[in-house]
Amino acid sequence: MNLSRRNFLKGTVAGGALLTAGTAAEARPNKTMPPEALGLLFDSTLCIGCKACVAACKRVNNLPPDPISEEFPMWDAPLDISGSTFNIIKVYNSGKANRKDEEVDGYAFMKQSCLHCVDPSCVSACPVSAMIKDPVNGIVAYDPDACIGCRYCVAACPFGVPRFQYDKALPKIAKCELCRHRIPDGHYAACAEVCPTGATLYGKVTDLGVEAHRRLALKPGEKTSFPRGRLGGPDWSYQGVAGKYVQQVYGEKELGGTQMIKLAAVPFDKLGHRPLPERSYASISEGVQHTLYKYLALPAVVLGVLSVVAKRNTKHEDDDDDSSGRGRK
Amino acid sequence: MANAQHAVAPLGGRLVTPVTVVLAGLTAIAGVILLIRFFFGLGAVTNISDGFPWGIWIAYDVMVGSALACGGYAMALLVYIFNRGEYHPLVRPALLASLFGYTLAGASVIFDLGRYWNVWHLFWPGYAQINSVMFEVGVCITAYIFVMWIEFSPVFLEKLGLKDVKRKLNKVLFFFIALGVLLPSMHQSSLGSLLVVFGYQVHPLWQTVLLPLLFLLTAILLGFAVVIFEASIVSVGFKRPGETPILASLSRIMYWLLAVYLVVRVGDLAWRGALGAMFVPGFEAAGFWVEMLAFAAPLWLLASAESRQRRDRLFVSAVLLMLGGFMLRINGFLIGYETGPGWHYFPAVPELMVTIGLIAFEILAYIVFVRMLPVLPKHATH
Ligand code: SF4
Ligand code: SF4
Ligand code: SF4
């Protein structure tokens, strides 16, 4: 074994070791909540399944109706979020399904739309900065003018949120952007604005968290009033009773937190919300990536070593007209 | 004789044969389907959905296709870096196959990109997002395709008789050779890293931070396997004597690399406590067993020096390794990928026809190239 080869092997081994050390060396921690983070609180016990939010979302985002099927084109009733639906209310059913917010023989509603993750997979995945998290309010926005349509964000999102328009020649990604286009004119999330019971509530995430914990602390059945529309707004008119909450604010810790948090009286995994670790997938992925490519230092070193070795091993043929003898003599 | 063995020459011969006509036909069909795709959207010809936003055009054409195109990389690594000059006759044909494999994998990405007209954003500072694994893959593969064309250009220059240019290029070629070894090491491992951000959506049999290492090792293994596979096919297809002795010694290196891979693969599963998952009946376990058996069998087939001399064993081992590498990628990206209940994916017929057309085009172009350009070693007996 000649010297250069030994060096190369050392380089390879070092590279391999770095790789194997995995995320430990360079792992970045989860990102943290932006200071003025905006979001939604969805309270499943207050949701009556009226789907006003679904209609309002379509209206303010100029989205076409989703007829149930070609066979029944007369009902606009999207079955899931899609290339033309950013927001949907789903229902959990069990047994006779005649008691609201009961796990057994009950039913419960759940809103599905972008959770505006604190450390979003979609942002980490997108190769061309078409998914951007606002550094101040934390809204995860989509920029079709940047997007190349690779659908890595669709595949990566742990909540199955971004959708793609498979039926269009010039498609876009479709996803809730927390109505950021309505903020300049003083409006806010349309789904919260129209919600009659305050089940979908808009506000600063810190305030929403306080409100969520106030509800968790209430005695089930206790009379109380709930805010409607936006937290910090004038409307506290909705009188109701506290639900039998599961003692969990979904989105507080999951994958480093989300800006849409949820309360429910039925366990969240029944409502399509699996238990998730606190470590964000984006941080693990970027940890691996940075371990391998930090400042491109490792690749540069390897390239240097490879060049030296390759030069030595091809030297004898520099002036050789017929490259066929390469490496032989 | 020794010299004649290592000179290269065009094969010559007829270009229009029943085989090439069929290949051209399949290519044309794929072309028509792609036209439909560009006018009516991806949904018109594929079965991809929001649950499976990536179908075989990504999982096979890109992930598997580029790994199968690692012959040039594996040979360059061996010859120019580990200074094993005896494998030199294998470099050029391997590089040619890689050139096609990668160029087509790169080009086929365009079919799959929803907003393909923006693809240049990958290379534009204001857009590029360097934390994205996809960014690394896209940029690195593109760079490698350019590097390979430069590495291969002596062949064209020879054909054109531009000796002067060729001599100058030879002086700096070492740098491109080095790049040609570095870049695939980077993006082949990154193809594995693509899966890391998917988190729980990838089955525990495949979700690990060692994915980059696993994908890199199997890419090199596949590179070796493809070289053996192609050398066997070429010697039968073009009725030329085989190169068994050199392939036998190549397979020895392959054998040890394979042993390393299996130790890492199984060790990782054990370390993460995921071994039990392979006994839970289902598609995942089935896919896993096919993958692992395809990798394990060659370890047995090529165990002794005698068995490595046998053409049939070499060929079968090569095919098995290709299957293993194929399964690792299909398992990671499709079979072991699950976003939630209710989503299913199996490629649509037109979707399959595009992939078949792409492979047909690749073979067709390879035939045309070796018949017209000095790629294959000149054999005294032909
Ligand atoms: S829920 Fe999905 S789309 Fe929304 S911010 Fe999180 S990762 Fe992105
Ligand atoms: S589809 Fe668009 S937004 Fe999503 S990851 Fe790809 S480029 Fe980014
Ligand atoms: S915030 Fe706006 S875009 Fe998002 S779900 Fe509500 S209405 Fe739709």
Side-chain angles (χ1 to χ4, degrees):
Chain A
M1 187 189 286
N2 62 37
L3 193 65
S4 53
R5 254 173 74 198
R6 203 171 304 143
N7 280 345
F8 170 70
L9 279 181
K10 266 192 209 150
T12 320
V13 171
L18 254 179
L19 226 165
T20 325
T23 54
E26 301 269 355
R28 73 157 172 80
N30 285 353
K31 296 212 163 128
T32 48
M33 187 89 71
E36 299 290 304
L38 294 170
L40 298 171
L41 166 62
F42 176 77
D43 188 332
S44 170
T45 68
L46 295 180
C47 179
I48 52 171
C50 70
K51 298 193 248 180
C53 56
V54 180
C57 180
K58 289 229 169 195
R59 178 172 49 83
V60 302
N61 289 295
N62 287 319
L63 296 169
D66 269 323
I68 265 188
S69 66
E70 273 166 39
E71 213 183 324
F72 301 106
M74 60 288 233
W75 287 296
D76 173 23
L79 298 178
D80 204 345
I81 53 173
S82 71
S84 47
T85 302
F86 296 171
N87 170 39
I88 192 141
I89 297 295
K90 291 184 175 174
V91 64
Y92 160 81
N93 271 303
S94 143
K96 294 197 210 97
N98 51 13
R99 294 180 300 162
K100 187 164 186 294
D101 294 319
E102 289 287 340
E103 190 181 346
V104 181
D105 282 337
Y107 65 95
F109 297 108
M110 180 45 80
K111 178 180 189 314
Q112 190 187 1
S113 51
C114 177
L115 285 91
H116 298 275
C117 303
V118 171
D119 195 354
S121 298
C122 60
V123 171
S124 172
C126 180
V128 292
S129 317
M131 289 287 178
I132 293 282
K133 187 167 179 71
D134 188 290
V136 178
N137 63 25
I139 294 177
V140 177
Y142 167 68
D143 176 7
D145 293 331
C147 174
I148 59 172
C150 67
R151 310 185 299 289
Y152 193 21
C153 56
V154 179
C157 170
F159 302 102
V161 167
R163 302 281 158 140
F164 179 76
Q165 298 171 329
Y166 298 92
D167 53 350
K168 295 234 165 87
L170 309 177
K172 287 182 197 164
I173 293 291
K175 124 178 179 11
C176 152
E177 298 178 59
L178 209 68
C179 285
R180 68 185 173 104
H181 65 296
R182 307 183 78 225
I183 294 177
D185 62 17
H187 285 286
Y188 55 95
C191 53
E193 217 173 50
V194 300
C195 181
T197 64
T200 299
L201 186 65
Y202 177 84
K204 276 175 70 171
V205 179
T206 39
D207 301 343
L208 293 171
V210 171
E211 170 64 10
H213 284 283
R214 177 186 76 92
R215 297 184 194 182
L216 287 188
L218 294 170
K219 268 220 320 280
E222 184 180 333
K223 276 224 174 84
T224 182
S225 28
F226 294 100
R228 274 201 301 211
R230 76 199 297 179
L231 197 52
D235 191 349
W236 274 75
S237 63
Y238 188 72
Q239 302 289 323
V241 290
K244 271 195 282 170
Y245 291 109
V246 172
Q247 288 297 313
Q248 179 188 3
V249 181
Y250 193 94
E252 226 174 22
K253 300 221 172 76
E254 281 70 18
L255 301 179
T258 63
Q259 292 178 207
M260 181 189 195
I261 52 178
K262 300 181 179 184
L263 294 175
V266 167
F268 281 97
D269 56 339
K270 297 270 161 53
L271 300 173
H273 285 54
R274 63 170 62 229
L276 289 168
E278 291 186 23
R279 177 93 189 270
S280 77
Y281 295 129
S283 74
I284 299 174
S285 168
E286 290 181 19
V288 172
Q289 198 69 352
H290 291 173
T291 305
L292 297 175
Y293 299 117
K294 189 124 204 219
Y295 310 124
L296 285 178
L298 179 63
V301 170
V302 175
L303 180 61
V305 176
L306 290 176
S307 301
V308 171
V309 179
K311 180 154 186 153
R312 183 169 304 193
N313 290 342
T314 53
K315 197 167 192 163
H316 41 262
E317 62 192 82
D318 275 1
D319 307 306
D320 192 352
D321 246 359
D322 185 354
S323 65
S324 59
R326 193 176 290 166
R328 287 297 297 173
K329 284 153 243 174
Chain B
M1 196 58 195
N3 260 340
Q5 273 273 328
H6 300 291
V8 283
L11 268 179
R14 266 158 35 94
L15 286 181
V16 182
T17 64
V19 175
T20 54
V21 168
V22 170
L23 293 173
L26 288 170
T27 311
I29 294 174
V32 173
I33 296 170
L34 286 174
L35 270 185
I36 300 175
R37 173 257 173 276
F38 282 110
F39 281 108
F40 298 100
L42 279 162
V45 296
T46 72
N47 276 349
I48 55 174
S49 62
D50 289 313
F52 285 94
W54 289 349
I56 49 164
W57 289 359
I58 292 295
Y60 179 81
D61 300 359
V62 179
M63 305 301 163
V64 179
S66 74
L68 288 176
C70 274
Y73 161 56
M75 287 302 116
L77 190 67
L78 209 54
V79 171
Y80 301 124
I81 304 305
F82 292 101
N83 203 18
R84 303 292 293 261
E86 65 268 32
Y87 300 113
H88 192 268
L90 301 175
V91 170
R92 227 177 231 196
L95 193 58
L96 175 63
S98 301
L99 191 60
F100 277 122
Y102 263 102
T103 307
L104 283 170
S108 71
V109 167
I110 299 292
F111 310 148
D112 193 78
L113 285 183
R115 300 175 68 82
Y116 46 86
W117 59 92
N118 281 339
V119 67
W120 56 275
H121 291 174
L122 272 175
F123 316 105
W124 204 256
Y127 292 108
Q129 204 277 98
I130 53 168
N131 293 320
S132 164
V133 186
M134 178 70 83
F135 168 77
E136 200 281 325
V137 167
V139 170
C140 203
I141 288 187
T142 312
Y144 183 50
I145 292 172
F146 280 109
V147 166
M148 261 193 297
W149 281 95
I150 294 171
E151 275 187 272
F152 199 71
S153 56
V155 176
F156 299 108
L157 298 174
E158 242 163 68
K159 178 88 178 171
L160 296 171
L162 294 171
K163 289 200 167 165
D164 227 36
V165 185
K166 194 189 148 193
R167 198 173 301 132
K168 281 198 190 109
L169 178 66
N170 266 344
K171 288 222 192 305
V172 291
L173 205 56
F174 75 91
F175 179 70
F176 291 101
I177 289 172
L179 263 180
V181 170
L182 174 70
L183 293 173
S185 312
M186 287 167 63
H187 63 244
Q188 283 298 331
S189 54
S190 290
L191 287 179
S193 313
L194 277 176
L195 289 169
V196 172
V197 77
F198 293 0
Y200 74 86
Q201 300 178 95
V202 173
H203 192 276
L205 285 170
W206 294 281
Q207 183 57 286
T208 161
V209 289
L210 287 193
L211 274 165
L213 184 59
L214 298 179
F215 270 57
L216 178 62
L217 287 174
T218 53
I220 300 174
L221 274 174
L222 251 69
F224 287 149
V226 164
V227 167
I228 292 176
F229 175 80
E230 271 163 1
S232 313
I233 297 279
V234 164
S235 68
V236 175
F238 294 119
K239 300 192 182 59
R240 296 150 53 89
E243 299 175 89
T244 313
I246 193 170
L247 297 185
S249 82
L250 181 63
S251 71
R252 202 178 101 88
I253 302 173
M254 192 170 82
Y255 176 82
W256 287 110
L257 190 63
L258 178 58
V260 170
Y261 168 73
L262 284 170
V263 169
V264 174
R265 179 79 166 97
V266 178
D268 169 62
L269 285 171
W271 171 256
R272 290 185 295 112
L275 281 171
M278 70 175 89
F279 302 111
V280 180
F283 282 119
E284 287 88 1
F288 176 81
W289 281 105
V290 176
E291 174 199 322
M292 287 308 273
L293 290 177
F295 277 120
L299 203 63
W300 171 72
L301 281 170
L302 302 175
S304 72
E306 296 80 63
S307 51
R308 289 196 286 268
Q309 295 288 344
R310 287 177 44 182
R311 275 172 81 167
D312 53 344
R313 287 208 170 197
L314 281 175
F315 184 73
V316 171
S317 302
V319 172
L320 281 171
L321 285 178
M322 286 157 67
L323 173 67
F326 170 86
M327 285 307 292
L328 172 67
R329 285 155 179 77
I330 296 293
N331 280 337
F333 282 92
L334 293 176
I335 296 177
Y337 178 74
E338 172 89 70
T339 358
W343 297 106
H344 303 283
Y345 171 77
F346 193 83
V349 173
E351 200 176 356
L352 279 169
M353 290 306 295
V354 168
T355 295
I356 292 169
L358 207 74
I359 298 168
F361 178 72
E362 215 164 315
I363 301 172
L364 182 65
Y366 187 84
I367 293 176
V368 172
F369 258 60
V370 294
R371 287 202 185 283
M372 298 186 63
L373 290 172
V375 177
L376 292 180
K378 204 187 284 167
H379 279 270
T381 46
H382 192 68

